[in-house]
Amino acid sequence: MTDTAPTLQVENLETHFFTKDGVAKAVDGVSFTVGRGEIMGLVGESGSGKSVTGFSVLGLVDPPGKVVGGKVLFQGQDLLSIKEEELRHLRGNRIAMIFQDPMMTLNPVLRVDTQMIETVQAHDASVSDDEARARSRDALGQVGIPSPEERLKAYPHQFSGGMRQRVAIAIALLNKPDLIIADEPTTALDVTIQGQILYEAQKLCRDTGTALIWITHDLAVIAGLADKISVMYAGRIVEQGGLGDVLDHPAHPYTCGLLGSVPGHNTRGKRLYQIPGMTPSLLKLPKGCAFKERCPHADAACETAPEITHPVEGRALRCAHPQVDLAGVAS
Amino acid sequence: MSTILELSGVTKNFVKHLDAAAKLARRLGADVKEEVVHAVDGVSLKIAAGEVVGLVGESGCGKSTLGRMVAGIMEPTAGDIRYKDRVVSAMDKQAGRETALAIQMIFQDPFASLNPRMRVQDIIGEAPILHGVTSRADAGDYVAQVMERVGLDPEYRKRYPHQFSGGQRQRIGIARALAVKPEFLVCDEAIAALDVSIQAQVINLFMDLREDLDLTYLFISHDLSVVEHISDRVVIMYLGRIVEVASTEDIFDSANHPYTQALLNEVPRLDVRGFDYQPIAGEIPSPLDPPPGCHFHPRCPHATARCREERPQLREIAPGRVSACHLNDG
Ligand SMILES: Nc1ncnc2c1ncn2[C@@H]1O[C@H](COP(=O)(O)OP(=O)(O)OP(=O)(O)O)[C@@H](O)[C@H]1O
Ligand SMILES: Nc1ncnc2c1ncn2[C@@H]1O[C@H](COP(=O)(O)OP(=O)(O)OP(=O)(O)O)[C@@H](O)[C@H]1O
Ligand code: SF4
Ligand SMILES: [Mg+2]
Ligand SMILES: [Mg+2]
């Protein structure tokens, strides 16, 4: 491990699902870097490969899926080549994931306090039961669970769906990990509770240098929270860059379409932009650019799959027809 | 515009019944009470024909319960619902049936609300045949027409729900509701489960239907951006009560109630970058045991002694604008 290595560096990651109908390239050459204290938003439509990217980083891809290529460097150490036991130790300790489904974190047959105390002590065995319980109670309070002391004694099924998600978030924050991958963690929650959770996440990144990947389809959340953004489409990152750069000067037609279809203050009463067509199946992707059939700018050049380009420092793009002159914008 | 729907003092209590052990304990003299949730607590509201009214509030504040009562799926514990000037619970059978058809509800989860073993043509066609909106002989054409109306290819009418994408399934749910020619749609988180790009399609569809069919909407959503986009007026609820009603402009540009202000502060916006999120001030109260006085006082930065004791009434603070906060008493 080197001090200068970024917290997470993913290079050309490829994860395929070998189904009876063919090979689905759910993650197809994905690269990104997240530094200490940095927050990356990962957006894209349903089925674009956001969750599978997260699972791949943590070594949680189950058959028929398999990571078939690339590197995942956590503080310089390649997670794809270390032993399962070491990886398990890192998860729950220095790397945490908040899943779309909280029951992937919670054990239905254990009381919440049992699970939380176990998590604290797995990280540091010298913490007493009382101390671990106190930390657990505070963590529940931090995610906006009322009467945390009493709620510690409950089982997961005694919580509503939204509360369960908050417990799962509390568990992920418990040990102040170096890296958190949060998969749509607040989609089902109220704005108030979401604000509270974003506050805790932001605080953790600022105070302890935790690197955070926030997976969502809510661009507004990313706008408020992230430092940089990666946009996925059909298993690939199609655009990537600093938050303001991408949101203010989107270059990929898909990013432009996404941003145009968000309702809000300036759209009151108007028709929203609709990206035409539907998400293509990974098994039947068009040749060339996967967005071709839905793109208003597609032409003959798009028959060849666009390579990733870096028009300016810190920006990546996969498109034959960038919608802004990035070099011009940068200068 | 004429009032199409009027709620006066509409209330819904849910009693959490005691289990056998608790009943026994009570018989033996223990102090166990049945818990009552005041899901909706004396709501009064008028909706004009052709209006889109957004209904917003935190999880558990009673939005769905109110929506279900409006749609006639659930009866109020107290209070009256008037549809076109007639009290719904006092209607004769015929008028009651017509009202039930006139007010349709669209739910959040397009998959759970569609019968997986029915073909799309039967999902959409069943109710209109039953209620004589179309005949069995004409049903095929009628269903095709409704499917086209919501942007579904009638070619697909023999398919089952699982053969459609999320956005298409939501369109099936909308088509089913439209098939009985409703006047009023209650949409309960109707686009929450959809992808951003699909959300835009369904929002546009709702707006087109409003234009073409003169529909009135009660649009329940926790997504304030969507509510701002689609509504003419917005109703804000907190723990079973309405705390503010105003035009969309007034709510989003100059909210009056401290809860509305707090809520709007939290809303992520695309044009606000690098936001400093704030923790919730005070405790989130339980609907089982709401605080006395103004329900919002434990979280309110302006609360006074009066707020802790006396319930603020919903009062007109400007024409067409009501709010329930003691601060408005000057
Ligand atoms: N077990 C599996 N077998 C076959 N294909 C799979 C499997 N799991 C995922 N996939 C495929 O991988 C692709 C990426 O899925 P993933 O769950 O990462 O999408 P996502 O971007 O997280 O979408 P969402 O926003 O809906 O959560 C999808 O097209 C999906 O069909
Ligand atoms: N059938 C029921 N039996 C008992 N309690 C109920 C029932 N339905 C709702 N409640 C309670 O009534 C209150 C209001 O619930 P409701 O579903 O109307 O809220 P909501 O505003 O729609 O919330 P959400 O945003 O989470 O959908 C909650 O405390 C809920 O637990
Ligand atoms: S009545 Fe009092 S507590 Fe309630 S919102 Fe107004 S100022 Fe705040
Ligand atoms: Mg996912
Ligand atoms: Mg609800």
Side-chain angles (χ1 to χ4, degrees), chain A residues 46 196 202 206 267 271, chain B residues 195 208 228-229 275-276 280:
Chain A
S46 190
Q196 167 83 28
Q202 207 168 41
R206 287 177 183 169
T267 66
R271 278 186 79 78
Chain B
D195 251 357
D208 292 344
E228 177 170 16
H229 178 82
F275 191 69
D276 275 316
I280 299 171

Side-chain angles (χ1 to χ4, degrees), chain A residues 158-176:
Chain A
Q158 293 169 309
F159 291 89
S160 72
M163 293 257 239
R164 249 180 249 156
Q165 183 60 289
R166 284 186 252 167
V167 175
I169 294 171
I171 291 178
L173 302 181
L174 209 48
N175 288 332
K176 301 188 171 27

Side-chain angles (χ1 to χ4, degrees), chain A residues 45-46 190 192-194 196 198-199 202 206 217 220 223-224 248 263 265 267-274, chain B residues 58-59 195-197 200-201 204 207-208 225 228-229 249 263 268 272-277 279-280 284 299:
Chain A
E45 62 195 358
S46 190
D190 278 328
T192 320
I193 302 293
Q194 170 170 284
Q196 167 83 28
L198 294 173
Y199 163 79
Q202 207 168 41
R206 287 177 183 169
H217 61 247
D248 295 331
H265 196 61
T267 66
R268 213 182 275 176
K270 296 187 194 133
R271 278 186 79 78
L272 293 171
Y273 176 73
Q274 286 175 220
Chain B
E58 267 159 49
S59 180
D195 251 357
V196 187
S197 58
Q201 297 173 11
N204 286 343
M207 297 185 45
D208 292 344
S225 313
E228 177 170 16
H229 178 82
E249 281 78 23
L263 195 65
V272 178
R273 309 286 157 72
F275 191 69
D276 275 316
Y277 291 95
I280 299 171
I284 297 192
R299 285 167 60 187

Side-chain angles (χ1 to χ4, degrees), chain B residues 257-259 294-298 300-304 307 312 324-327:
Chain B
H257 197 282
Y259 172 63
C294 171
H295 281 170
F296 188 57
H297 83 252
C300 181
H302 312 292
T304 62
C307 305
C325 171
H326 290 312
L327 290 178

Side-chain angles (χ1 to χ4, degrees), chain A residues 72-185:
Chain A
V72 174
L73 304 173
F74 173 68
Q75 296 171 343
Q77 182 185 23
D78 192 354
L79 298 187
L80 295 180
S81 60
I82 66 173
K83 286 202 197 73
E84 174 57 31
E85 197 186 303
E86 267 180 89
L87 195 56
R88 202 171 320 129
H89 184 73
L90 281 176
R91 292 195 300 257
N93 229 326
R94 302 211 340 257
I95 308 180
M97 180 146 182
I98 305 168
F99 298 94
Q100 247 170 316
D101 174 5
M103 290 316 286
M104 284 184 70
T105 305
L106 301 173
N107 184 333
V109 301
L110 292 181
R111 274 174 27 176
V112 164
D113 53 359
T114 318
Q115 302 188 46
M116 294 187 81
I117 291 169
E118 219 167 65
T119 306
V120 174
Q121 292 177 338
H123 177 64
D124 180 355
S126 70
V127 179
S128 73
D129 285 2
D130 283 348
E131 169 64 19
R133 166 173 282 279
R135 278 192 212 170
S136 306
R137 183 194 54 220
D138 294 346
L140 287 187
Q142 280 168 356
V143 293
I145 295 202
S147 335
E149 184 73 55
E150 285 160 42
R151 294 314 232 150
L152 272 179
K153 295 186 209 110
Y155 289 89
H157 74 263
Q158 293 169 309
F159 291 89
S160 72
M163 293 257 239
R164 249 180 249 156
Q165 183 60 289
R166 284 186 252 167
V167 175
I169 294 171
I171 291 178
L173 302 181
L174 209 48
N175 288 332
K176 301 188 171 27
D178 297 333
L179 172 66
I180 299 178
I181 299 178
D183 194 357
E184 310 256 8

Side-chain angles (χ1 to χ4, degrees), chain A residues 27-72:
Chain A
V27 179
D28 189 14
V30 162
S31 305
F32 58 83
T33 307
V34 196
R36 256 182 67 87
E38 201 170 39
I39 304 179
M40 181 181 90
L42 182 56
V43 299
E45 62 195 358
S46 190
S48 60
K50 306 181 297 292
S51 297
V52 174
T53 299
F55 295 154
S56 304
V57 167
L58 283 119
L60 292 174
V61 179
D62 291 325
K66 193 174 185 320
V67 178
V68 294
K71 278 194 191 137
V72 174

Side-chain angles (χ1 to χ4, degrees), chain A residues 199-235:
Chain A
Y199 163 79
E200 294 296 341
Q202 207 168 41
K203 189 156 76 106
L204 196 62
C205 295
R206 287 177 183 169
D207 298 354
T208 47
T210 298
L212 178 63
I213 298 175
W214 197 271
I215 299 175
T216 182
H217 61 247
D218 189 340
L219 285 161
V221 168
I222 298 282
L225 182 73
D227 302 304
K228 60 188 191 188
I229 178 170
S230 295
V231 183
M232 272 186 96
Y233 187 81

